[in-house]
Amino acid sequence: MSDRGVERSDDEGHGPVPWWADLGVWGAVALIAFGGLAAVWVSLRLPGTPTELASGYYGAARVVAIGLVIVGSSLLNRWRARSAAVGESTGAD
């Protein structure tokens, strides 16, 4: 069954979805770029940089990590969907 016909609801006892759940590949790429920009910002010690540089790098690394996980998951999902579609068209089990 395709996921396109399935409607997503929060009535199943699940809590609200996280803010990054529906970003997609381009949103994740933007997160990675923003995290890189934040790391450069901290390294140049521009205004707004925390006094403890490690906390600034830690925050930037968290943003980049979230972006990398979303990109990897999205691309893996696309790869699996493509291989499943090829398997269905050739009649393989």
Side-chain angles (χ1 to χ4, degrees), residues 45-87:
R45 296 186 175 130
L46 295 173
T49 302
T51 56
E52 184 65 38
L53 293 180
S55 66
Y57 288 124
Y58 176 71
R62 285 177 47 188
V63 172
V64 170
I66 290 171
L68 288 173
V69 168
I70 294 171
V71 164
S73 299
S74 298
L75 293 178
L76 184 62
N77 189 26
R78 284 185 185 181
W79 178 70
R80 286 183 179 173
R82 185 176 298 153
S83 66
V86 170

Side-chain angles (χ1 to χ4, degrees), residues 11 18 21 32 35-37 40 86:
D11 297 334
I32 294 168
L37 179 65
V40 169
V86 170

